[in-house]
Amino acid sequence: MTVEAHKETLEFKAEVSQVLDLVISSLYSNKEIFLRELISNASDAAEKLRFESLTDEELLEDDPNLRVRVLVDKDAGTITVSDNGIGLTRQEAIDTIGSIASSGTRQFAEALRAAQGEADKDKASGDALIGQFGVGFYSAYIVADKVTLVSRRAGLTAEHGVRWASDGRGSYSLETVEKPTRGTEVILHLKDGEKEFLDAWRLRTIIGKFSDHIAIPVEMQKEDVGGDDEAKEDEDKEKGDEAKEPKFEQVNKGTALWMRSKAEISDDDYKAFYKHISHDFEEPLAWAHNRVEGTNEYTALLYLPKRAPWDLWDREQKHGVKLYVKRVFIMDEADKLMPHWLRFVKGVVDSDDLPLNVSREILQHNRKIDTIRGANVKRVLGLLESMARDEPEKYQEFWGEFGRVLKEGPAEDFQHRERIGGLLRFASTHIDEDTQSISLDAYIERMKEGQKDIYYITADSPAAARHSPHLEVFRKKGVEVLLLSDRVDEWLVSHLHEFKGKHLQSVTKGKLDLGELADKADQDKAEQAAKEHGDLLKRLKGSLGQRVNEVRVSTRLVDSPACIVVGEHDMSANLARVLKAVGQEAPDMKPILEVNLDHPLVKRLEAESDQAKFDDLGLILLDQAQLAEGGQLDDPAAFVGRLNKLMMQMFMSGV
Ligand code: ADP
Ligand code: MG
């Protein structure tokens, strides 16, 4: 091969300069990614060499330790990212760096062309587009007004080096140079306004943020990292010549924990890594580490935290799963990797098959991502299921922190409704305390002979649920009722209609249908009573007027005189309250008043001949039934007025 020692100036192919302008203006708010891109290219080059050296050991020359170095030259105003990776030939430099052959940028240019048909290529459309495509090597021009790349392909001799240089304005120069060491150096001549990047600590922080778990070590010069320059100089003088040899230290961790085999990773390693990625002081509750091979290869390491973060209920809360592609950090908070109802899960997904320049927009519609997300959900469900089964106390701890989030699941994930259902825990009339510890499976096991449905009540506090008059008949018959009082519960039961073939039935809705549990005699008695006491029901409806839809005889009450019921398909009174409390529209529903004919108060009412008194008593009955539900009265003063009047009458009649 002859060495072309000439220097030439070449035009960029296609729209490189156009793309460059967009890159620079669009990424200005996110400048520091240039370092991620360059380190990632350097580490790619090292990994390529590592791969090729498997079959050609000579490529490693006498320098087998692959690494990336980031050097700062304050006087020259430059940052250099160098690697001892595969390097570039002159032709490769033309083909890759000098053209927009690289995947992301080419796609970007194509999309740009397409977009030009519709709109002017203004900055706004550029902004929208740039997010969809990676920027790679050209991101160097965000902070540099001149970039020089010096490279030599592994396996070629020193005189086959190439120097590429460009100010990014349409052309570049190419020159053959001597380069004794293999690999590539990219030298950024920083713009005047970007000298902040000459601060070694700043660079170190950026490396820690983006490149910590790249499997290739990233090194910086010791002096660059150390603090006291003068002290260093003195030291150097003392040491004489020897000290002139620059010393490097590794600034990234340099190992991707999730890529190591499970057998090699101790629990302590897992815990330390969790703290690193989650910024949580506590240890994780559990984790799952999986490697998936095949057409969509990736590794997932997912953690369940012990404690809910303070912003768990913040709508804007960031998701905790980081996306890596081939060990290169791509993005934090990749919400496409975990659904909203599992937003508390932290961890890493590292894909071997996604393009490195993947962006949020690409993630929106990517099959591979959908598959990964689906598998992640299954993994977390599996983790929770085995914890619930084998470590119920630990699961209870989890439920206390994140149960309310998991309750969002059935509404969001139709496919896994049943599995999520199996993980739910509730308070119930079966136990005395208000802890949510009863599973639907446990409920089903305790169901009475002949019981068809899973019964629940929703109320706005555990006490209101537990003491609701609606539970009286269930207590009497020994039928368990789930007590739901979290806000999200209404949302949950409006999406989880059944579990394992059993219908979930609110005890405050519709006609009470106890199925085979109902006492036939009771039922007949109630029907008979409705006929016999038709007058009372009519009179009451007359007194209550538009405030109720219907007045009927109750089969659910034992100790209370009356209760409020809503129609089977109406919104529950509790949900209407929740909606109003958060400032949303709720339909003004008219409830049904059910009365307990066996109750002395109702008997006394029936005997009341004074119509004005009857009206007052009827209204009090309705209002107190509403209060017993945890509801609010539209006109509490009127209620108090009637009650006081009643008390006065009692005193005056000497009761
Ligand atoms: P991508 O990394 O997505 O391919 P880039 O714009 O980052 O896009 O890089 C374009 C190409 O330039 C790379 O694919 C690679 O062939 C070449 N390249 C960039 N940096 C280096 C390097 N340090 N060593 C070897 N080749 C490099
Ligand atoms: Mg790249």
Side-chain angles (χ1 to χ4, degrees):
M1 191 202 276
T2 59
V3 177
E4 298 168 74
H6 65 284
K7 177 170 178 173
E8 55 181 335
T9 300
L10 296 94
E11 295 297 306
F12 275 127
K13 279 198 189 151
E15 298 84 350
V16 168
S17 38
Q18 201 183 60
V19 170
L20 272 177
D21 278 349
L22 276 165
V23 165
I24 294 162
S25 60
S26 306
L27 289 175
Y28 202 71
S29 58
N30 205 4
K31 294 184 237 179
E32 53 189 32
I33 63 145
F34 78 89
L35 193 58
R36 175 188 80 189
E37 294 292 331
L38 295 180
I39 290 178
S40 118
N41 284 350
S43 111
D44 282 353
E47 270 170 0
K48 269 183 216 160
L49 176 62
R50 179 179 279 162
F51 180 74
E52 286 193 17
S53 69
L54 293 177
T55 47
D56 183 359
E57 217 178 301
E58 306 234 311
L59 290 178
L60 290 174
E61 301 168 20
D62 55 357
D63 182 15
N65 297 323
L66 299 171
R67 44 72 193 155
V68 176
R69 282 181 178 160
V70 177
L71 295 152
V72 187
D73 186 334
K74 284 205 169 120
D75 299 332
T78 60
I79 297 174
T80 301
V81 178
S82 81
D83 64 71
N84 56 355
I86 192 76
L88 292 161
T89 63
R90 185 186 179 101
Q91 191 57 45
E92 282 169 341
I94 297 173
D95 291 344
T96 59
I97 304 294
S99 76
I100 53 165
S102 65
S103 50
T105 9
R106 192 188 58 237
Q107 283 172 355
F108 180 72
E110 278 164 10
L112 191 66
R113 243 194 312 271
Q116 273 169 358
E118 296 150 28
D120 293 336
K121 80 169 204 301
D122 57 7
K123 188 175 171 311
S125 69
D127 271 2
L129 277 172
I130 196 85
Q132 298 176 38
F133 303 98
V135 285
F137 177 79
Y138 299 114
S139 64
Y141 289 97
I142 305 172
V143 295
D145 47 22
K146 183 181 170 201
V147 178
T148 311
L149 174 146
V150 185
S151 188
R152 198 257 290 164
R153 183 75 159 81
L156 298 183
T157 47
E159 65 270 24
H160 284 88
V162 58
R163 176 189 282 128
W164 177 102
S166 175
D167 60 4
R169 313 214 154 268
S171 65
Y172 60 91
S173 67
L174 205 60
E175 202 178 343
T176 300
V177 294
E178 277 263 321
K179 188 171 186 297
T181 55
R182 150 200 96 218
T184 305
E185 276 173 26
V186 177
I187 303 143
L188 310 186
H189 304 265
L190 295 184
K191 294 176 190 172
D192 276 342
E194 309 297 348
K195 303 287 192 209
E196 56 177 300
F197 291 107
L198 292 174
D199 175 4
W201 278 105
R202 175 83 200 274
L203 296 180
R204 194 187 170 127
T205 311
I206 301 173
I207 294 168
K209 183 167 164 192
F210 291 119
S211 314
D212 209 24
H213 293 278
I214 284 187
I216 307 286
V218 178
E219 300 174 349
M220 287 182 76
Q221 220 170 318
K222 263 202 165 149
E223 285 84 339
D224 286 348
V225 173
D228 196 336
D229 283 347
E230 271 174 44
K232 276 262 147 57
E233 269 166 34
D234 290 347
E235 222 175 89
D236 289 352
K237 268 180 216 140
E238 275 168 39
K239 285 186 189 160
D241 278 346
E242 205 189 322
K244 288 198 182 110
E245 185 88 338
K247 289 201 184 74
F248 289 91
E249 69 176 312
Q250 188 171 329
V251 295
N252 68 334
K253 276 245 170 50
T255 51
L257 174 117
W258 60 90
M259 295 310 290
R260 283 151 60 190
S261 92
K262 281 193 198 184
E264 275 177 35
I265 312 174
S266 70
D267 281 5
D268 281 344
D269 289 339
Y270 278 119
K271 288 174 186 170
F273 181 63
Y274 167 77
K275 288 183 185 171
H276 169 73
I277 56 159
S278 67
H279 305 285
D280 192 346
F281 289 108
E282 294 216 49
E283 292 184 346
L285 195 63
W287 58 84
H289 185 187
N290 301 83
R291 167 105 200 120
V292 178
E293 319 255 294
T295 51
N296 186 9
E297 301 209 346
Y298 66 94
T299 299
L301 173 53
L302 304 174
Y303 288 96
L304 298 177
K306 242 187 200 145
R307 300 272 163 262
W310 60 272
D311 58 351
L312 186 64
W313 298 101
D314 182 349
R315 274 254 142 234
E316 302 294 297
Q317 199 236 352
K318 306 282 188 251
H319 290 236
V321 179
K322 292 174 194 288
L323 176 65
Y324 280 74
V325 173
K326 301 183 196 78
R327 264 65 71 210
V328 179
F329 173 68
I330 305 295
M331 66 178 82
D332 255 326
E333 309 134 23
D335 50 348
K336 292 295 158 278
L337 294 174
M338 204 52 88
H340 196 64
W341 60 276
L342 289 176
R343 59 185 174 274
F344 49 84
V345 178
K346 307 253 182 244
V348 170
V349 166
D350 187 346
S351 162
D352 282 343
D353 290 324
L354 286 172
L356 194 59
N357 285 330
V358 74
S359 66
R360 283 181 202 284
E361 286 75 9
I362 289 176
L363 292 185
Q364 300 278 350
H365 321 278
N366 185 292
R367 277 243 192 95
K368 292 197 160 106
I369 284 289
D370 290 346
T371 314
I372 296 175
R373 174 189 164 108
N376 281 348
V377 170
K378 290 200 170 69
R379 258 173 224 125
V380 175
L381 287 174
L383 196 60
L384 292 174
E385 281 160 354
S386 50
M387 195 196 295
R389 185 184 56 236
D390 305 331
E391 300 165 286
E393 277 170 26
K394 201 166 162 188
Y395 186 73
Q396 200 56 49
E397 195 183 335
F398 161 81
W399 184 261
E401 292 292 318
F402 300 108
R404 285 177 302 160
V405 182
L406 213 64
K407 282 174 174 178
E408 296 171 11
E412 284 182 39
D413 190 332
F414 184 82
Q415 194 196 341
H416 296 110
R417 209 167 271 192
E418 189 88 359
R419 280 183 79 179
I420 302 165
L423 289 166
L424 300 175
R425 297 293 182 269
F426 301 100
S428 116
T429 52
H430 180 70
I431 43 169
D432 283 332
E433 73 265 35
D434 292 327
T435 334
Q436 298 179 5
S437 61
I438 306 291
S439 69
L440 293 176
D441 284 305
Y443 181 99
I444 289 173
E445 257 176 48
R446 282 192 290 267
M447 277 169 76
K448 292 267 171 202
E449 180 97 14
Q451 181 182 348
K452 298 197 313 285
D453 296 338
I454 296 171
Y455 292 108
Y456 68 86
I457 183 167
T458 54
D460 64 2
S461 72
R466 192 174 287 282
H467 302 127
S468 165
H470 289 275
L471 301 185
E472 289 171 5
V473 69
F474 293 91
R475 286 227 171 75
K476 188 173 147 196
K477 294 189 180 295
V479 174
E480 181 172 2
V481 178
L482 301 174
L483 307 172
L484 278 55
S485 59
D486 284 336
R487 267 200 180 174
V488 64
D489 285 335
E490 288 285 358
W491 181 241
L492 169 67
V493 293
S494 65
H495 289 88
L496 188 73
H497 299 293
E498 58 169 57
F499 178 72
K500 297 200 171 159
K502 303 268 186 289
H503 178 67
L504 269 76
Q505 175 63 46
S506 162
V507 301
T508 64
K509 277 190 174 183
K511 281 237 160 72
L512 180 65
D513 176 11
L514 285 175
E516 290 173 42
L517 283 179
D519 208 318
K520 188 77 177 83
D522 282 356
Q523 205 88 348
D524 291 347
K525 219 175 87 191
E527 272 167 36
Q528 187 60 27
K531 278 187 206 137
E532 281 170 22
H533 300 269
D535 270 357
L536 168 68
L537 302 180
K538 236 184 259 152
R539 260 181 98 194
L540 260 175
K541 172 69 177 109
S543 306
L544 304 177
Q546 291 308 303
R547 288 194 54 195
V548 295
N549 236 340
E550 189 190 340
V551 179
R552 67 188 184 203
V553 175
S554 185
T555 53
R556 32 188 134 213
L557 298 175
V558 178
D559 305 316
S560 302
C563 69
I564 295 288
V565 178
V566 298
E568 182 64 53
H569 302 291
D570 282 347
M571 182 182 285
S572 81
N574 187 55
L575 178 54
R577 274 194 296 278
V578 169
L579 288 179
K580 280 184 185 151
V582 297
Q584 289 210 39
E585 290 272 327
D588 257 327
M589 287 166 320
K590 277 185 271 170
I592 297 160
L593 182 72
E594 285 195 1
V595 291
N596 176 2
L597 289 176
D598 294 331
H599 199 281
L601 259 180
V602 178
K603 288 188 173 147
R604 170 68 186 75
L605 183 67
E606 197 169 18
E608 182 57 63
S609 55
D610 180 336
Q611 187 58 34
K613 260 192 196 169
F614 181 92
D615 288 346
D616 275 352
L617 286 169
L619 284 165
I620 289 173
L621 212 57
L622 174 64
D623 283 345
Q624 52 106 320
Q626 227 140 18
L627 285 174
E629 284 252 304
Q632 278 175 8
L633 301 179
D634 286 341
D635 190 353
F639 171 70
V640 171
R642 277 183 215 107
L643 208 61
N644 289 345
K645 201 159 120 194
L646 201 69
M647 285 160 79
M648 284 308 293
Q649 283 166 6
M650 273 167 52
F651 293 141
M652 276 152 59
S653 62
V655 183

